[in-house]
Amino acid sequence: MRELRKDPVLGRWVIISTDRGRRPQDFHADYDHFAGFDPQHDPFREGQEHLTPPEIYAVRAKGSEPNGPGWQVRVIPNKYPALGIEGDLNPRGYGLYDRMNGVGAHEVIIESPDPYMLLSDMPLKHLIEVFSTFRLRVEDLSRDSRFAYVLVFKNHGRDAGASLRHSHSQIIATPIVPKRVLEEMYGAQEHWKNKRRSIFVDIVDQELMMQERIVYQNEEMLAICPYASSSPFEIHILPKRQRSDFRKASAEELSALAETVQVCLRKWRGALGPMQYNFLIHTAPNDTELSGVRQYFPMLDAYYCWHLEMFPRIAQTAGFEWGTGYYINPTPPEDAADFLRGIKVEIS
Ligand SMILES: [Zn+2]
């Protein structure tokens, strides 16, 4: 099979090429996450709170003191932030080159007090706390008028960009709306201009109708291997209800999202073995002067929908991808979804 497929949101083409004969077992990973790990020196474990900057927020047992034990989920500033929280943007130009101060927020969400607890093994109740914390922090950071966008993401494993083994995710608030999100917004706006429909609602409807790329679904969420997947076993989780903003996700939606992520992570592990991965949550930009949303996307709520994208780190990005922005994916998403559907997992 050799096929060019156009991503209906981004307008980007991907090459689905199975000539390389990559079956799920060809990707099988035996990544040992805890090789050489010494929990004694783990700054994220319970009891070592003094090794991190003071906490911003924590889900805590009643009566426990901040920056001490007794927490379930803990949010701290990144010790080595990509962007700094203090100061103004002060944008300026040097001839044709633009620059501004590196103002933003960079937080770490420590997902469990237990150094050996992986996100995929966490009890569902705990995972719901993690996702509720994501929403709470996005909500809080989006109130800062200097920030145009807040991104939640997770790197699991060294190749996926994680420097510490203890399970954690990150949040970065930026003064600029990321290019990828802008591309999604423009794509969705174009679809809406032509059809007066949300492209995300259309995708959910069509995937439910075709039943070819569904990995898992519940009342509120749909997990699919997207039609124009850029990498093997990529999964997108979409809410079944059109909602532009992750901040407005209901408690039911957050629980359903946590459940879906748990199922997908466990199916991945069943299919591919222990491997490294990334996920991220895309949502509408902050409704501030700076983001330009009100000016350029006044109808965004009607056609943009928040979602979660997850990528196993099993394929290498090569020169062709860097040079063209196209991706070559050796596993048709229909095959990946079929394989993942066949992996039975427990929700717990
Ligand atoms: Zn996205």
Side-chain angles (χ1 to χ4, degrees):
M1 176 186 186
R2 277 191 220 93
E3 197 169 279
L4 276 158
R5 291 189 181 186
K6 192 179 182 183
D7 185 301
V9 182
L10 296 170
R12 173 185 74 185
W13 291 89
V14 302
I15 301 171
I16 310 284
S17 172
T18 52
D19 279 6
R20 300 161 172 203
R22 303 301 293 273
R23 302 289 314 145
Q25 52 271 27
D26 296 324
F27 294 113
H28 205 275
D30 48 9
Y31 169 65
D32 183 358
H33 187 66
F34 292 110
F37 175 58
D38 178 5
Q40 288 314 313
H41 297 109
D42 173 17
F44 290 174
R45 74 178 294 180
E46 189 170 30
Q48 314 226 104
E49 291 79 8
H50 61 282
L51 295 177
T52 69
E55 70 194 38
I56 296 166
Y57 171 80
V59 180
R60 290 193 157 278
K62 269 202 187 90
S64 67
E65 292 287 322
N67 301 306
W71 52 276
Q72 285 181 288
V73 182
R74 189 163 180 257
V75 184
I76 54 167
N78 193 311
K79 214 170 177 177
Y80 309 100
L83 294 164
I85 194 81
E86 303 296 338
D88 293 316
L89 292 170
N90 188 22
R92 52 209 183 276
Y94 288 95
L96 64 88
Y97 298 120
D98 296 317
R99 57 176 295 178
M100 57 175 89
N101 289 334
V103 175
H106 193 167
E107 301 181 353
V108 175
I109 296 107
I110 309 169
E111 296 153 355
S112 162
D114 175 354
Y116 288 104
M117 179 61 77
L118 295 177
L119 200 72
S120 48
D121 295 328
M122 239 165 241
L124 183 57
K125 234 178 111 192
H126 194 118
L127 201 56
I128 294 169
E129 295 283 10
V130 173
F131 279 87
S132 304
T133 303
F134 289 166
R135 190 188 56 181
L136 216 88
R137 291 311 305 148
V138 173
E139 206 167 25
D140 189 39
L141 286 165
S142 65
R143 287 196 203 106
D144 192 321
S145 62
R146 298 170 305 163
F147 305 151
Y149 198 79
V150 188
L151 182 80
V152 176
F153 63 99
K154 177 172 176 69
N155 304 332
H156 172 76
R158 209 175 311 119
D159 296 343
S163 50
L164 287 166
R165 301 324 154 78
H166 191 128
S167 194
H168 66 282
S169 334
Q170 301 179 60
I171 296 188
I172 293 192
T174 58
I176 298 156
V177 179
K179 187 162 180 280
R180 171 56 57 80
V181 179
L182 270 178
E183 285 170 354
E184 288 185 355
M185 285 159 58
Y186 278 121
Q189 189 180 51
E190 213 43 48
H191 190 80
W192 187 79
K193 274 184 191 163
N194 295 331
K195 305 189 179 180
R196 287 291 185 271
R197 299 199 306 260
S198 157
I199 180 77
F200 296 96
V201 171
D202 280 5
I203 290 172
V204 168
D205 285 350
Q206 182 146 353
E207 293 300 338
L208 287 172
M209 191 176 72
M210 292 178 80
Q211 302 269 325
E212 281 183 347
R213 284 172 292 270
I214 297 175
V215 177
Y216 178 74
Q217 62 172 315
N218 51 31
E219 280 285 291
E220 307 283 351
M221 296 288 148
L222 177 70
I224 53 168
C225 292
Y227 170 74
S229 294
S230 61
S231 56
F233 291 90
E234 175 181 339
I235 295 175
H236 288 191
I237 301 175
L238 297 154
K240 289 183 174 172
R241 219 174 310 189
Q242 158 70 32
R243 218 192 274 284
S244 65
D245 201 327
F246 177 63
R247 286 170 294 181
K248 300 209 177 89
S250 67
E252 291 75 31
E253 283 172 310
L254 282 180
S255 303
L257 175 65
E259 179 190 285
T260 309
V261 168
Q262 184 185 72
V263 168
C264 290
L265 286 175
R266 291 178 180 182
K267 279 177 178 284
W268 262 358
R269 190 169 49 190
L272 305 167
M275 42 88 197
Q276 310 180 62
Y277 64 86
N278 300 99
F279 72 60
L280 56 92
I281 296 174
H282 274 155
T283 178
N286 302 347
D287 191 4
T288 58
E289 199 94 1
L290 195 66
S291 72
V293 167
R294 253 178 267 172
Q295 199 177 350
Y296 300 108
F297 301 92
M299 297 297 292
L300 193 72
D301 287 345
Y303 55 76
Y304 189 77
C305 189
W306 72 268
H307 55 273
L308 185 146
E309 302 181 13
M310 43 202 288
F311 307 88
R313 298 293 287 230
I314 49 179
Q316 298 285 329
T317 303
F320 179 77
E321 280 88 355
W322 289 115
T324 60
Y326 301 163
Y327 288 82
I328 304 175
N329 177 358
T331 310
E334 296 75 28
D335 293 2
D338 185 54
F339 196 77
L340 291 171
R341 270 196 308 275
I343 305 280
K344 298 286 168 242
V345 298
E346 288 212 11
I347 299 167
S348 55

